[in-house]
Amino acid sequence: MSAPVDLSNFKDMTSGNPELEKELFDEFITSSENIIKELKQLVNDADNEAWRKAAHSMKGTALILGADNLGKLCKDAQLNNAAPAVEKQKMIDDIDKEYGLVKEFINANRTT
Amino acid sequence: MLIRTVKYNAEQQLINDLYEDRVISQSVLQLKLSIIGKKAEELILLSKLKDLISDDKNGRIYLCDDGDVFIVWKGANVQLLADIKNSLVSLVSDTYGHSTEKFFTFYDFQANKEDLRIECQRKIIVIQNKESGHVTTSLNNAAQKSEHEDAIQHDKAADQALHTITQEQIKILKKALENRKNRKNLVILIVEDQTFAYKLLKQILESYECHIASTAQEALNLYCYHAPDIIFQDIELPGGDGHSLVKLYRNFNPESYVIMVTANSYKKDLEMAKINKVNGFIVKPYSKQRIMDCIQEYLKYKKGY
């Protein structure tokens, strides 16, 4: 099973700057948790556009970080923003689970 | 009935909804919580407001960053207006000692649509002025005067800035373009609302002078002020899409060098980018090498131009 995150591109972009990496890891965690919270609130909401935007936002960040599986799950959520609540619930559950793996990986690989 | 709550860029979203005629024959009540420096969540207002407009199929609540709340409901339901006011009067006057006269502003949408747009635009400019710190004196004056509620004329001028560049901004841009000839380093405008993404881009481009815009209006302001050599332009943005911004940049400076950056690989975005003849198109995730290649491509372009 591959790691939930491939940090090689991310580290290249940060030029190995440990303070910037810490700042960005923290930013990723904060913004992801806010978005997951928002998506959970939107499961039963008719605002499909808000769902789409939230999923899109998290997708971009996940892909840049190197969390491809998480990015893919967010892309699916973005594209299926009109799905019924039951399906949306499954999508957010999957995202939440994958995010947990990503967060664990990041925290285990922090230098600061 | 679920009530739509807009939490992000509420003023801009309300203006967009007005333009797209989603808010038709409706009433809008502005709660100026910014006067008492509180937010709706702090006063446990949201559930109360939702209960009051729950029967209204078009009911919406817009939560502004400064604490103001815009409540929208269908028609001229004066009873609902009275109910909302009554439920909040004691909170405002008893708890905070403020007169309720200044607390509420009501817009009969049909009659006061323009006033509502001006108010939203005024709030957007105040936010942009605080965040960018680069807006000209005349735009700052416009924001300050409107704070005293006697500057409808200035607000109307500012109102135009949303979908075009104002005359004042054109003057600023022309001056910036003149000064550009003497530049020793590239000036880059990064238009991106995701903090994670723009901090990384800024790191990659650390050798250059970078400016960040996270909304469409801010992008226009910074574009005019700095006349950037290169613009890394996100497509999905609060307050407007990247394609519209590219058209505006090119309207006033056809040589604007724009590289679209997006997490979507939609055909329609690619087609629009081609129509707008952008200089590059990057789909996230990008790499440091890809970004640096864009800089090299620009330098070759500039040399050959």
Side-chain angles (χ1 to χ4, degrees):
Chain A
M1 190 168 137
S2 58
V5 192
D6 176 356
L7 288 175
S8 54
N9 187 40
F10 172 77
K11 284 191 176 286
D12 182 43
M13 286 193 282
T14 59
S15 303
N17 180 332
E19 282 167 15
L20 177 62
E21 286 181 6
K22 178 187 182 310
E23 191 182 334
L24 290 173
F25 284 152
D26 289 343
E27 169 60 35
F28 171 78
I29 288 170
T30 303
S31 68
S32 296
E33 290 180 358
N34 284 339
I35 291 171
I36 287 171
K37 189 178 167 188
E38 187 181 354
L39 284 170
K40 285 178 178 174
Q41 287 171 348
L42 288 169
V43 165
N44 292 304
D45 197 309
D47 196 340
N48 294 333
E49 180 60 10
W51 170 278
R52 187 197 69 78
K53 282 185 175 173
H56 167 78
S57 170
M58 192 164 171
K59 176 185 80 174
T61 306
L63 289 174
I64 296 174
L65 179 67
D68 288 348
N69 283 346
L70 181 58
K72 185 181 178 306
L73 289 169
C74 291
K75 182 180 177 181
D76 289 343
Q78 177 192 340
L79 293 173
N80 293 292
N81 63 322
V86 167
E87 288 180 30
K88 279 183 173 173
Q89 186 62 58
K90 179 161 189 329
M91 283 190 263
I92 187 57
D93 287 344
D94 289 343
I95 287 172
D96 202 1
K97 186 180 172 188
E98 184 65 24
Y99 164 72
L101 295 173
V102 170
K103 183 179 175 182
E104 195 181 330
F105 183 89
I106 286 171
N107 286 335
N109 283 274
R110 281 178 184 260
T111 50
T112 56
Chain B
M1 181 66 208
L2 294 163
I3 305 301
R4 180 185 168 196
T5 305
V6 176
K7 294 177 193 174
Y8 191 54
N9 281 337
E11 295 93 340
Q12 189 58 62
Q13 189 60 59
L14 182 54
I15 291 177
N16 290 349
D17 288 349
L18 296 180
Y19 269 112
E20 294 179 29
D21 282 334
R22 285 180 202 158
V23 185
I24 301 173
S25 298
Q26 294 190 339
S27 299
V28 182
L29 179 65
Q30 179 181 4
L31 307 182
K32 292 183 177 176
L33 290 173
S34 54
I35 294 174
I36 55 175
K38 290 285 178 185
K39 298 212 171 178
E41 293 94 324
E42 293 174 80
L43 302 176
I44 320 175
L45 265 182
L46 277 183
S47 56
K48 193 178 282 190
L49 291 173
K50 284 182 180 181
D51 282 343
L52 286 166
I53 61 172
S54 61
D55 288 333
D56 189 296
K57 289 180 184 172
N58 290 313
R60 261 161 293 167
I61 297 171
Y62 298 78
L63 301 175
C64 304
D65 279 350
D66 63 357
D68 280 5
V69 178
F70 288 99
I71 310 157
V72 178
W73 66 91
K74 191 177 174 185
N77 188 335
V78 293
Q79 184 57 51
L80 181 53
L81 174 61
D83 288 343
I84 293 174
K85 281 187 171 183
N86 288 338
S87 72
L88 297 172
V89 159
S90 61
L91 181 70
V92 173
S93 61
D94 296 347
T95 309
Y96 295 97
H98 282 270
S99 160
T100 53
E101 216 172 287
K102 290 184 183 176
F103 192 72
F104 301 106
T105 301
F106 177 70
Y107 303 87
D108 169 355
F109 182 71
Q110 290 293 86
N112 307 127
K113 181 178 177 178
E114 198 59 25
D115 292 339
L116 177 55
R117 278 179 53 185
I118 288 169
E119 169 64 1
C120 288
Q121 191 56 38
R122 178 193 69 79
K123 282 155 69 57
I124 289 168
I125 288 179
V126 168
I127 292 166
Q128 296 297 344
N129 284 350
K130 280 180 190 170
E131 285 177 356
S132 73
H134 288 297
V135 184
T136 64
T137 302
S138 62
L139 288 174
N140 277 332
N141 284 344
Q144 285 163 14
K145 276 191 182 177
S146 64
E147 298 260 17
H148 300 287
E149 295 176 2
D150 66 348
I152 297 295
Q153 300 305 323
H154 288 277
D155 288 336
K156 280 183 177 171
D159 180 49
Q160 291 172 24
L162 178 64
H163 288 277
T164 186
I165 295 180
T166 64
Q167 290 303 314
E168 185 62 36
Q169 284 174 310
I170 292 172
K171 282 183 200 169
I172 298 164
L173 176 59
K174 280 183 179 170
K175 192 176 172 188
L177 285 168
E178 276 296 314
N179 291 340
R180 197 161 86 163
K181 295 170 192 170
N182 303 322
R183 270 186 202 159
K184 293 181 181 169
N185 196 6
L186 289 182
V187 172
I188 297 175
L189 176 60
I190 299 170
V191 186
E192 168 65 67
D193 63 322
Q194 297 299 316
T195 308
F196 187 91
Y198 73 61
K199 281 189 178 178
L200 265 176
L201 263 181
K202 196 174 175 192
Q203 169 68 22
I204 295 170
L205 298 166
E206 62 178 340
S207 305
Y208 309 106
E209 180 183 326
C210 290
H211 300 277
I212 315 287
S214 53
T215 67
Q217 187 62 61
E218 197 174 11
L220 272 181
N221 289 346
L222 292 177
Y223 171 79
C224 292
Y225 195 86
H226 293 288
D229 298 288
I230 306 171
I231 303 158
F232 284 92
Q233 177 70 55
D234 192 9
I235 292 180
E236 285 210 34
L237 271 180
D241 72 282
H243 298 302
S244 302
L245 276 171
V246 173
K247 284 178 190 163
L248 284 172
Y249 302 149
R250 290 270 169 79
N251 242 353
F252 294 95
N253 179 18
E255 293 157 27
S256 300
Y257 194 92
V258 183
I259 299 162
M260 307 302 284
V261 184
T262 179
N264 291 330
S265 52
Y266 294 149
K267 195 176 170 189
K268 65 176 174 69
D269 283 326
L270 279 163
E271 283 173 1
M272 189 56 74
K274 277 184 191 169
I275 290 168
N276 286 337
K277 294 182 184 169
V278 300
N279 303 91
F281 193 100
I282 297 176
V283 178
K284 294 172 185 173
Y286 39 72
S287 65
K288 182 176 178 178
Q289 187 59 53
R290 181 72 184 96
I291 301 297
M292 296 316 294
D293 286 346
C294 290
I295 304 295
Q296 292 307 312
E297 282 159 19
Y298 168 77
L299 291 172
K300 280 182 198 168
Y301 162 85
K302 193 178 165 192
K303 206 173 174 184
Y305 183 72

